[in-house]
Amino acid sequence: MRGAQAERNMASVDFTGGLMDAVTAQKYKHRLVLERQALLAQMDAQHGGRIGRVEVASESLDKSEDDNAQIQTGRDVAFAINEHETAALNAIAASLQRIKEGVYGLCLTCGTHIPIPRLDAAPHTQRCVACQTRFEQQTA
């Protein structure tokens, strides 16, 4: 069953049967590097530039106690955003490593080719749609 599914998946992909060619891989590498740079710049801007833990702690202590709920909510939101950004950076780094290893564009779980339109939409994706859906259901 798995072989038949893999054949169906490969039939709908723009690959010529082998691994992704070097020119196409370089195109995705360039996009991933640009995404990483943009994400790092966005993180710097959201955090007011590079700021250390001491400065953050000092800012928190300067607030009155009436602001504690607002401060905690702000911290929770900032933590969630930081967690999302970290996951995105990790996915980009993993994709760049997969390009280097020559396996970019292959599903991390089942090994089938990830469709080009999916890679175009999200070059940091590591799984085909079916495997990503199962992964999200298992980790939810």
Side-chain angles (χ1 to χ4, degrees):
M1 175 82 178
R2 187 175 187 160
Q5 181 180 359
E7 285 179 35
R8 279 193 305 273
N9 288 346
M10 288 180 66
S12 65
V13 177
D14 289 342
F15 286 87
T16 57
L19 294 176
M20 182 179 292
D21 66 88
V23 173
T24 304
Q26 284 302 312
K27 175 185 89 167
Y28 287 110
K29 179 179 180 181
H30 180 71
R31 283 193 56 203
L32 288 161
V33 169
L34 291 177
E35 275 190 29
R36 179 177 58 195
Q37 290 171 344
L39 185 55
L40 290 171
Q42 177 185 336
M43 290 169 70
D44 278 347
Q46 287 173 344
H47 300 295
R50 298 191 186 273
I51 185 168
R53 290 181 181 177
V54 173
E55 290 87 1
V56 172
S58 176
E59 282 182 22
S60 296
L61 293 175
D62 289 341
K63 307 286 183 191
S64 71
E65 286 189 34
D66 294 336
D67 295 331
N68 281 342
Q70 186 175 2
I71 291 169
Q72 186 60 42
T73 301
R75 283 185 196 150
D76 290 346
V77 169
F79 180 77
I81 290 171
N82 189 31
E83 194 172 75
H84 175 74
E85 291 165 340
T86 300
L89 285 173
N90 287 338
I92 290 169
S95 293
L96 289 169
Q97 182 63 34
R98 290 175 62 77
I99 289 172
K100 187 176 183 179
E101 293 170 357
V103 294
Y104 178 77
L106 298 177
C107 177
L108 193 61
T109 304
C110 70
T112 62
H113 290 286
I114 299 170
I116 293 292
R118 179 164 170 76
L119 291 173
D120 286 343
H124 57 274
T125 194
Q126 297 179 25
R127 293 178 183 84
C128 65
V129 174
C131 290
Q132 184 64 35
T133 301
R134 280 192 298 276
F135 177 78
E136 289 175 3
Q137 289 171 347
Q138 291 170 353
T139 59

